[in-house]
């Protein structure tokens, strides 16, 4: 009985594995640092695919890794410093590149580095510090990974520091406030208003309502929140100490490993107190859902809820906010609400995480069939170079595109997912199809298996914002309208 509660690993959640011991010259070409397997042997089954892929976060992070092999010793200090300097130089060039919305940057001198956010600045400091440390330390013995910032800013157009709201935005915000304050909130109307995005000021309560966590009746909300928060901390008292018991060791150990990897470039998520909160949320969820247990990737799904509910108490951008400045009661409220809303989300997609992950297999297959009808040229391009959809779309389904998009974009995306019927389980398919076709030009320009996989696993979305997500959702809605109720359109 207890064995069913053990960890079920998610394979392919990040990248196919990189094993530097497979090649002696892995450091000569920087592009090989993030290389995919050169030989594309088509997996005969999902289980074979699972055995031959893993999460790239695992590279060298486990204590059992063998660092004594000669291949690790070839990465001397000169190589480490030179490669790190090249990465930093390239990253600096990326930051200096002018953007449509920031015309002033085009006049900056060549030596001026535009820091997009505090996470970028932190990233540069950390990388510079790393270069100065002893390269023989354990972390320096590993192949250097390319630095790809995951988040430029969490804030959206309604956060502090942004331009004042337009008349239209003020009108929308007032409409939300009227809906939310009415005796019985009209949830259908709230969904219609939320589809094009929820203003930051009312997003926390809107998400609670759309998740089914809060009742529509305003008089019942306070008591409901109080009861559900007490219920969650009752679970903590009842179950959390059992994390040290032998039959839960695998689950707790994997959660403990994954938490520091959750949005590693955002200082907020590296705070010990925040990591403790995430550990409790994930462990209690795993204990209460033995059919799947904890699966790698579920840790990502906590972050949007945590950020949104934290923003209820924080005026400034939350990216660098020190949560120790909040009271214990506030932190408990944020933790409990994040747990319950994440649970509501996972209730609709739990077959993504049960044994053999049948939900993900079906969604990847549906994506392949859909793309073959939407864009036959892209589909045939994949077939020509033997690219399997499972090799890139597994992560898209498992992590709901969270590792493909900045967190601020995920939050905007989830505004729509929560307002769509079966948004996370059904509409997400059409978003993935629209997302793939968005890159058709770049895809068709790649003419080998390795180039295609590297592109699809590192799509350049770091500077995306609400405008790009709005266009993506509009295209996804068009595809859903054309294909969702016309199953014959799927097949030839």
């Amino acid at each position: 009985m207890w064995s069913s509660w053990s960890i079920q690993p998610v394979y392919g959640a990040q990248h196919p594995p990189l094993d530097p011991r497979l090649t002696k010259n892995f450091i000569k070409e920087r592009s090989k640092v993030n290389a995919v397997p050169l030989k594309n042997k088509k997996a005969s089954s999902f289980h074979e695919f699972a055995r031959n892929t893993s999460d790239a976060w695992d590279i060298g992070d486990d204590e059992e890794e063998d660092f004594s092999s000669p291949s690790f010793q070839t990465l001397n200090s000169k190589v480490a410093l030179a490669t790190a300097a090249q990465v930093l130089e390239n990253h600096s060039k990326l930051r200096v590149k002018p953007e449509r919305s920031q015309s002033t940057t085009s006049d900056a001198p060549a030596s001026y580095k535009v820091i997009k956010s505090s996470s970028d600045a932190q990233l540069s400091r950390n990388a510079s510090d790393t270069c100065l440390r002893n390269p023989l330390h354990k972390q320096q013995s590993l192949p250097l990974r390319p630095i790809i910032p995951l988040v430029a800013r969490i804030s959206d157009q309604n956060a502090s520091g942004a331009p004042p709201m337009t008349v239209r935005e003020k009108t929308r915000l007032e409409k939300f406030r009227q809906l939310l304050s009415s005796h019985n909130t009209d949830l259908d109307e709230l969904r219609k208003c939320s589809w094009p995005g929820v203003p930051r000021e009312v997003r926390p309560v809107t998400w609670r309502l759309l998740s089914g966590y809060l009742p529509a009746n305003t008089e019942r909300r306070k008591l409901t929140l109080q009861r559900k928060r007490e219920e969650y901390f009752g679970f903590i008292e009842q179950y959390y100490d059992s994390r040290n018991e032998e039959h839960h060791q695998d689950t707790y150990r994997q959660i403990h490993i994954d938490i520091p990897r959750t949005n590693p470039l955002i200082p907020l998520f590296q705070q010990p107190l925040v990591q403790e909160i995430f550990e409790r949320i994930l462990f209690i969820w795993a204990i209460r859902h033995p059919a799947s247990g904890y699966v790698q990737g579920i840790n990502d799904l906590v972050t949007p809820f945590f950020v949104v509910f934290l923003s209820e108490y924080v005026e400034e951008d939350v990216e660098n906010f020190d949560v120790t400045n909040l009271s214990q009661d506030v932190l408990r409220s944020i933790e409990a609400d994040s747990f319950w809303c994440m649970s509501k989300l996972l209730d609709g997609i739990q077959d993504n995480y049960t044994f053999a992950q049948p939900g993900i297999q079906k969604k990847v297959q549906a994506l392949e069939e859909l793309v073959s009808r939407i864009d036959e040229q892209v589909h045939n391009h994949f077939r020509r170079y033997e690219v399997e959809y499972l090799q890139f779309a597994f992560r898209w389904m498992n992590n709901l595109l969270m590792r493909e998009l900045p967190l601020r974009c995920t939050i905007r995306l989830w505004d729509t997912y929560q307002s769509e019927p079966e948004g996370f389980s059904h509409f997400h398919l059409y978003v993935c199809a629209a997302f793939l076709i968005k890159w058709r030009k770049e895809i068709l320009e790649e003419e080998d298996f390795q180039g295609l996989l590297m592109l699809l696993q590192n799509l350049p979305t770091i500077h995306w914002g609400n405008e790009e997500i709005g266009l993506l959702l509009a295209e996804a809605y068009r595809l859903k309208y054309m294909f969702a109720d016309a199953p014959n359109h799927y097949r030839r």
Side-chain angles (χ1 to χ4, degrees):
M1 176 179 177
W2 296 114
S3 61
S4 64
W5 292 13
S6 61
I7 182 69
Q8 300 293 331
V10 168
Y11 297 94
Q14 175 68 8
H15 295 290
L18 168 67
D19 188 348
R21 286 164 287 195
L22 296 178
T23 173
K24 295 180 181 179
N25 300 318
F26 68 93
I27 200 65
K28 288 185 178 178
E29 296 181 36
R30 192 169 63 87
S31 63
K32 292 183 180 179
V33 174
N34 200 25
V36 294
L38 295 175
K39 185 178 181 181
N40 175 34
K41 181 180 179 182
K42 185 174 179 180
S44 60
S45 69
F46 178 80
H47 295 289
E48 183 177 335
F49 169 78
R51 284 195 301 271
N52 288 284
T53 55
S54 63
D55 192 325
W57 291 116
D58 294 338
I59 302 168
D61 286 325
D62 292 336
E63 294 177 0
E64 299 83 6
E65 186 66 77
D66 178 17
F67 297 98
S68 60
S69 64
S71 61
F72 282 103
Q73 296 170 9
T74 62
L75 189 61
N76 59 32
S77 58
K78 284 187 177 180
V79 174
L81 288 169
T83 308
Q86 183 64 46
V87 169
L88 288 172
E89 181 184 348
N90 291 342
H91 184 57
S92 299
K93 290 177 182 176
L94 178 66
R95 288 201 299 268
V96 176
K97 185 178 180 180
E99 294 180 61
R100 288 173 298 172
S101 60
Q102 294 180 323
S103 58
T104 56
T105 59
S106 61
D107 300 326
S111 60
Y112 183 74
K113 294 183 179 180
V114 180
I115 302 296
K116 293 292 180 189
S117 74
S118 51
S119 62
D120 275 1
Q122 182 68 34
L123 183 64
S124 299
R125 286 198 299 271
N126 290 346
S128 299
D129 292 344
T130 302
C131 290
L132 298 175
R133 294 186 193 127
N134 185 349
L136 297 179
H137 286 176
K138 174 180 175 177
Q139 64 269 28
Q140 291 290 53
S141 300
L142 297 170
L144 291 169
R145 302 173 191 164
I147 298 175
I148 304 175
L150 301 181
V151 166
R153 284 186 69 80
I154 291 176
S155 57
D156 60 19
Q157 79 275 22
N158 295 315
S160 60
M165 282 193 293
T166 63
V167 173
R168 181 175 177 273
E169 288 169 343
K170 288 180 180 177
T171 303
R172 288 193 72 238
L173 179 58
E174 186 57 33
K175 172 69 171 176
F176 270 94
R177 284 178 171 155
Q178 289 176 2
L179 277 170
L180 296 171
S181 61
S182 61
H183 182 67
N184 279 296
T185 298
D186 185 337
L187 294 179
D188 288 336
E189 188 64 26
L190 184 63
R191 289 188 186 96
K192 289 179 185 176
C193 290
S194 300
W195 207 98
V198 181
R200 182 181 191 265
E201 294 86 347
V202 293
R203 187 175 272 139
V205 65
T206 301
W207 275 28
R208 292 188 190 103
L209 284 162
L210 296 181
S211 294
Y213 174 45
L214 269 189
N217 185 290
T218 52
E219 294 176 357
R220 294 175 50 210
R221 289 177 193 169
K222 186 176 180 180
L223 286 176
T224 299
L225 283 176
Q226 182 180 345
R227 177 174 57 83
K228 296 299 285 184
R229 289 165 179 172
E230 289 175 356
E231 185 179 355
Y232 169 72
F233 283 99
F235 295 151
I236 296 289
E237 291 180 15
Q238 184 176 357
Y239 297 120
Y240 194 56
D241 285 344
S242 69
R243 68 189 185 281
N244 298 315
E245 296 175 9
E246 185 176 353
H247 50 270
H248 291 156
Q249 277 296 294
D250 286 345
T251 297
Y252 182 69
R253 178 181 178 276
Q254 189 60 56
I255 290 173
H256 193 73
I257 289 172
D258 287 349
I259 294 300
R261 302 169 177 173
T262 305
N263 290 302
L265 301 182
I266 304 178
L268 172 69
F269 298 113
Q270 301 311 305
Q271 297 177 40
L273 189 55
V274 173
Q275 294 186 355
E276 289 171 15
I277 289 171
F278 275 50
E279 280 189 8
R280 286 195 294 269
I281 289 173
L282 294 170
F283 184 77
I284 296 302
W285 190 88
I287 292 300
R288 286 176 48 79
H289 295 81
S292 62
Y294 173 72
V295 174
Q296 285 176 286
I298 292 179
N299 56 305
D300 288 334
L301 305 184
V302 185
T303 56
F305 292 114
F306 185 83
V307 166
V308 167
F309 297 140
L310 175 62
S311 71
E312 197 167 20
Y313 304 94
V314 179
E315 287 290 333
E316 66 269 24
D317 190 69
V318 302
E319 185 173 337
N320 290 288
F321 182 76
D322 184 354
V323 296
T324 59
N325 293 324
L326 297 175
S327 69
Q328 186 66 25
D329 287 343
V330 166
L331 286 172
R332 286 168 65 91
S333 298
I334 294 170
E335 178 175 347
D337 292 359
S338 298
F339 170 82
W340 286 115
C341 288
M342 184 198 76
S343 297
K344 292 283 188 181
L345 185 164
L346 286 169
D347 285 347
I349 57 171
Q350 194 171 351
D351 63 343
N352 283 10
Y353 304 106
T354 53
F355 178 72
Q357 300 175 265
I360 291 179
Q361 294 188 65
K362 291 175 184 174
K363 289 182 177 73
V364 171
Q365 183 179 1
L367 178 65
E368 182 172 358
E369 292 173 352
L370 186 57
V371 172
S372 71
R373 303 300 295 159
I374 296 169
D375 196 322
E376 189 174 8
Q377 189 177 3
V378 167
H379 179 69
N380 289 338
H381 194 69
F382 287 153
R383 294 182 67 180
R384 178 181 178 184
Y385 295 105
E386 298 182 288
V387 172
E388 297 292 320
Y389 283 74
L390 196 64
Q391 291 165 322
F392 63 88
F394 184 97
R395 186 172 80 184
W396 296 9
M397 302 301 178
N398 185 69
N399 300 85
L400 297 176
L401 288 176
M402 284 195 65
R403 296 198 179 178
E404 322 311 317
L405 299 170
L407 182 54
R408 63 186 181 278
C409 293
T410 294
I411 290 172
R412 167 62 191 91
L413 191 66
W414 285 20
D415 287 343
T416 300
Y417 279 7
Q418 294 191 89
S419 60
E420 267 285 320
E422 299 182 313
F424 293 98
S425 59
H426 184 63
F427 187 60
H428 180 66
L429 168 66
Y430 299 96
V431 172
C432 287
F435 185 66
L436 181 63
I437 301 307
K438 165 74 176 67
W439 308 102
R440 76 180 310 275
K441 179 178 178 291
E442 291 83 355
I443 288 169
L444 295 176
E445 286 174 353
E446 293 290 345
E447 296 186 341
D448 63 77
F449 171 80
Q450 182 173 345
L452 279 165
L453 259 292
M454 290 186 70
L455 169 68
L456 291 165
Q457 292 171 347
N458 296 286
L459 291 165
T461 62
I462 183 58
H463 297 300
W464 274 31
N466 287 354
E467 181 183 351
E468 289 82 1
I469 294 299
L471 292 171
L472 180 70
L473 287 166
E475 178 62 13
Y477 186 82
R478 186 184 73 83
L479 294 176
K480 179 193 172 192
Y481 183 81
M482 290 176 60
F483 292 93
D485 299 319
N488 289 335
H489 286 191
Y490 265 119
R491 297 173 179 82
R492 299 182 186 283

